[in-house]
Amino acid sequence: PAFAFGYFQKQLADLPGGFEEIPAEEMGLNPADYLSTFAFMNLADFEILYGFNTLYESSTDLAGFTLAIDNPDLMMEALAAGMGLSATDMDTFTVPGIGESAVGIGAAGNMEGIMMRMEIVMFQRGNVGSTLLMMYQDGQPPSASIVDLARLWDQRLIAEGR
């Protein structure tokens, strides 16, 4: 079905200047596996933002996503390992008012000789599981708040009737 957040890819105005769309495949995402995907890079500030929505057809499948939200440390370790990031500092943060359940996860680590910070927001709205990931240089503030972007994403899910 048509999905409103798919057009996020076309709305660079939602992001600060400097971001450019990149193929989701460059971030290891196969768009055919998800309801929608997006990926952006800001070369000047060395930032990467990407995410995906998954439509869960059964309550069993959705329970797996909810399990990941309820156990963020396991999810973070798996993602960090998959990206070649040696996590040295892991934490969770609150994401109030987003989805029916949600968690924020953060980690700092050495990625190919560069200290990077990774932040992830995962939330569930109806039968959709949403994940946003932002990477930026550790010690530098990101040009956009991942929580604010997740809130925008959630608002679009609500508007879509999810």
Side-chain angles (χ1 to χ4, degrees):
F3 184 64
F5 201 73
Y7 72 85
F8 187 87
Q9 296 169 321
K10 298 175 185 145
Q11 294 192 358
L12 290 174
D14 290 338
L15 300 172
F19 278 94
E20 295 180 14
E21 185 178 0
I22 60 173
E25 293 86 352
E26 288 186 21
M27 301 312 305
L29 299 175
N30 178 357
D33 293 340
Y34 302 98
L35 183 62
S36 64
T37 62
F38 69 87
F40 296 103
M41 182 177 283
N42 179 338
L43 288 174
D45 294 328
F46 199 58
E47 295 176 321
I48 299 170
L49 170 68
Y50 66 98
F52 51 90
N53 282 316
T54 304
L55 180 63
Y56 293 102
E57 300 289 342
S58 74
S59 58
T60 303
D61 292 338
L62 183 58
F65 185 77
T66 304
L67 182 67
I69 289 174
D70 293 342
N71 296 282
D73 292 342
L74 296 175
M75 185 67 176
M76 188 66 197
E77 288 174 16
L79 285 169
M83 298 185 71
L85 186 80
S86 173
T88 58
D89 178 54
M90 298 172 73
D91 59 79
T92 59
F93 54 92
T94 60
V95 286
I98 298 175
E100 295 160 15
S101 62
V103 68
I105 307 164
N110 187 321
M111 185 176 194
E112 299 182 11
I114 300 171
M115 285 304 293
M116 298 293 292
R117 175 107 181 126
M118 179 169 37
E119 294 180 342
I120 300 169
V121 171
M122 298 172 58
F123 68 93
Q124 174 252 328
R125 167 78 56 200
N127 62 344
V128 175
S130 299
T131 303
L132 286 87
L133 187 145
M134 182 172 240
M135 289 181 21
Y136 55 94
Q137 287 185 303
D138 193 35
Q140 300 294 319
S143 61
S145 160
I146 194 165
V147 173
D148 290 344
L149 293 171
R151 187 168 287 112
L152 174 64
W153 194 339
D154 190 33
Q155 290 168 354
R156 292 196 178 145
L157 284 169
I158 292 167
E160 186 69 11
R162 298 288 175 172

